[in-house]
Amino acid sequence: MKIAIGADHAGFELKNHLVERLRAVGHEVEDLGTDSGASVDYPEFGRAVGERVASGDVDRGVVVCGSGLGIGIAAGKVAGVRCAMVSELYGARMARAHNDANVVALGARIVGQGVAEEIVDVFLATSFEGGRHARRVGKIEPT
Ligand code: RB5
């Protein structure tokens, strides 16, 4: 899969870990930064990942900040992005199966590397169930 990933300073280390891991298992990863632990503003990185996903050039996005909330909200503001803020595995699976989420947001101050890895694995591996869920997802649109 092609995956765009971005983080602010609070998500920098977890983002780097996920980039390495995703590449190691054969995914094509676009790392959109941030590139250090220096303080930055999460909306820029959430938007950047969201725009890559919305363009259709990448299949999925992963965004990381301290809580996963700010960067997830920012990514989800891009038209065509359905960003799910997830901190456990049921949510990771449902975000795909029922909501057809195309970006997952993680909080580096909430989940450790191990849980984050499993969330991303499940998020990438789970298919959208379609059917009644497609009708509902189709009703999610900007106002
Ligand atoms: C940075 O301190 C923190 O506010 C940010 O990473 C994120 O958690 C915001 O939602």
Side-chain angles (χ1 to χ4, degrees):
M1 268 187 190
K2 291 184 182 177
I3 299 160
I5 188 165
D8 73 354
H9 52 285
F12 171 65
E13 284 185 15
L14 179 57
K15 183 263 293 176
N16 288 349
H17 175 76
L18 293 172
V19 167
E20 273 185 31
R21 189 167 180 277
L22 289 166
R23 285 180 177 153
V25 298
H27 294 291
E28 193 177 315
V29 181
E30 286 185 19
D31 182 354
L32 303 180
T34 185
D35 300 322
S36 80
S39 183
V40 292
D41 296 335
Y42 59 78
E44 297 171 18
F45 299 90
R47 185 184 316 116
V49 170
E51 286 176 350
R52 292 300 291 145
V53 172
S55 75
D57 291 338
V58 302
D59 302 300
R60 303 271 168 82
V62 178
V63 292
V64 191
C65 68
S67 63
L69 299 175
I71 201 164
I73 291 168
K77 288 289 182 184
V78 178
V81 170
R82 289 176 299 281
C83 180
M85 293 156 236
V86 173
S87 56
E88 36 65 44
L89 295 178
Y90 178 82
R93 189 162 60 83
M94 286 298 111
R96 290 288 312 133
H98 287 191
N99 310 121
D100 199 19
N102 47 18
V103 177
V104 65
L106 301 168
R109 295 171 180 163
I110 298 174
V111 295
Q113 283 187 356
V115 173
E117 289 174 5
E118 291 199 21
I119 287 171
V120 172
D121 286 350
V122 168
F123 186 75
L124 297 180
T126 305
S127 299
F128 180 46
E129 288 179 8
R132 68 187 187 280
H133 302 297
R135 183 183 70 246
R136 293 163 184 164
V137 169
K139 291 181 176 180
I140 302 171
E141 53 188 30
T143 53

